[in-house]
Amino acid sequence: MLRPIWNGAITFGLVNVPIKLYSTVRKRNVRFNQLRKSDGCRIQQKKVCATDGAEVANQEIVKGYEVSPDRYVVVTDEELSALSPRASRNIDIQDFVNLEQIDPIYYVQSYYLVPDKGAGKAYSLLLAAMKKSKKVAIARFVLRNKEYLSAIRPAENMLSLSTMYFADEIVSQSELEGLPEPEAEPGDRELTVALQLVESLSNNFEPEKYKDEYRAKVLELIEDKAEGQTVVVEKAPENPKGKVIDLMAALEASLSAIKKDNHNKKSNERKRKAHA
């Protein structure tokens, strides 16, 4: 059974809705330890002085912010603690906005919000109001001594919360080089074929059909090696660089391949049904 990672309350106006915060994901990363190649012993990380190479104990380490090359301002934990956001158990709703106004680039991590004991009615009221109005709540809350901007939105029969980046953390497109010039606009014929290609690849979003193939292969490799099997590693093919392509020819070839693949799938399905 999952345990909540945080308990608090959603507040808007004078309404208070006690909730529990749960993580929405279980990360499936494959973690490796660093070992010495000769005998497989674990490698430990040590903190050393960049000047004399001496190891430095944790109690001797302070925080420093580099204001110019090799010039630091030292800040104490007590000074930072005094500036930390005031500990609070409230998720304070500040605004209700339309979901389509939020660019997904702002989202960081998502959580489930579950009503705490006795909060079912108030929780259901907020959920129903947000569904009916088709609005998303923008709120602030403090988690592990850090203040987060967040978006609360209905997720089927419950509420979810997504932490968000602040506006000044988002890289502006004006800072990027190499964006398409006006003269790079596609021609009508190219756009028509591109739209046909998009339509041919269009489907309903089914998240379960997308698998982490790399992780599966890594776990299979580990299992084989743990069982003493000899693994032969094939050299990965090199990516072609600087190859100039005929855009129209590539679009038409892609569309033709998809149509052929769809035809083969339908043909195989008919044969399967005929033999059933």
Side-chain angles (χ1 to χ4, degrees):
M1 184 67 71
L2 285 176
R3 289 187 176 185
I5 62 174
W6 188 85
N7 293 72
I10 301 172
T11 64
F12 64 109
L14 299 177
V15 179
N16 186 286
V17 186
I19 54 88
K20 295 177 286 187
L21 189 77
Y22 290 85
S23 179
T24 60
V25 297
R26 292 188 181 95
K27 294 187 177 180
R28 303 290 191 181
N29 296 334
V30 181
R31 297 185 178 275
F32 293 97
N33 293 307
Q34 291 185 326
L35 310 175
R36 185 163 61 188
K37 186 176 180 179
S38 60
D39 57 8
C41 72
R42 285 281 298 272
I43 303 299
Q44 294 182 340
Q45 302 284 352
K46 292 185 177 182
K47 297 176 182 179
V48 299
C49 174
T51 302
D52 57 20
E55 186 174 356
V56 182
N58 285 335
Q59 60 269 25
E60 296 181 48
I61 298 175
V62 296
K63 293 183 175 70
Y65 185 88
E66 190 172 20
V67 294
S68 61
D70 296 325
R71 180 169 174 262
Y72 298 88
V73 171
V74 174
V75 180
T76 68
D77 290 337
E78 292 76 14
E79 289 170 332
L80 290 175
S81 179
L83 299 176
S84 294
R86 182 172 57 87
S88 171
R89 286 290 167 180
N90 289 339
I91 300 175
D92 298 315
I93 294 178
Q94 299 185 329
D95 296 291
F96 286 96
V97 304
N98 295 326
L99 177 60
E100 59 269 19
Q101 292 178 323
I102 306 175
D103 190 320
I105 201 171
Y106 281 91
Y107 295 131
V108 182
Q109 187 170 349
S110 296
Y111 301 89
Y112 292 129
L113 296 175
V114 177
D116 214 334
K117 292 180 180 179
K121 186 173 182 179
Y123 181 95
S124 296
L125 176 62
L126 176 59
L127 175 60
M130 293 181 67
K131 281 185 173 181
K132 187 74 173 177
S133 64
K134 297 182 180 179
K135 296 290 186 179
V136 176
I138 302 300
R140 289 176 181 263
F141 78 112
V142 178
L143 176 65
R144 301 189 185 100
N145 297 320
K146 176 175 171 57
E147 185 179 51
Y148 290 91
L149 183 68
S150 62
I152 302 172
R153 53 184 169 170
E156 297 183 4
N157 297 319
M158 64 182 304
L159 293 172
S160 68
L161 177 148
S162 297
T163 54
M164 302 171 68
Y165 294 108
F166 288 98
D168 61 359
E169 295 180 286
I170 302 297
V171 175
S172 171
Q173 293 186 14
S174 63
E175 299 180 50
L176 306 177
E177 296 180 357
L179 295 179
E181 299 293 338
E183 57 268 21
E185 288 291 322
D188 291 342
R189 185 163 169 258
E190 292 171 334
L191 183 57
T192 298
V193 178
L195 289 172
Q196 291 176 351
L197 181 57
V198 170
E199 183 61 30
S200 299
L201 292 170
S202 295
N203 275 307
N204 292 324
F205 178 53
E206 299 173 5
E208 61 277 0
K209 83 176 187 180
Y210 305 103
K211 309 295 184 182
D212 186 342
E213 296 179 1
Y214 172 74
R215 178 168 61 87
K217 290 177 181 178
V218 170
L219 291 174
E220 183 181 358
L221 170 68
I222 292 171
E223 184 177 345
D224 289 345
K225 298 192 78 170
E227 292 175 353
Q229 296 185 31
T230 300
V231 178
V232 179
V233 179
E234 296 182 4
K235 185 178 180 181
E238 294 184 4
N239 292 324
K241 296 180 180 179
K243 185 178 180 181
V244 179
I245 62 169
D246 183 325
L247 181 58
M248 194 64 200
L251 286 169
E252 291 176 335
S254 300
L255 188 59
S256 176
I258 291 172
K259 288 180 177 179
K260 182 178 180 180
D261 185 54
N262 289 339
H263 174 76
N264 291 337
K265 286 180 179 178
K266 290 179 181 178
S267 178
N268 291 335
E269 182 65 18
R270 286 195 296 268
K271 290 179 181 178
R272 187 186 66 79
K273 290 180 178 179
H275 289 88

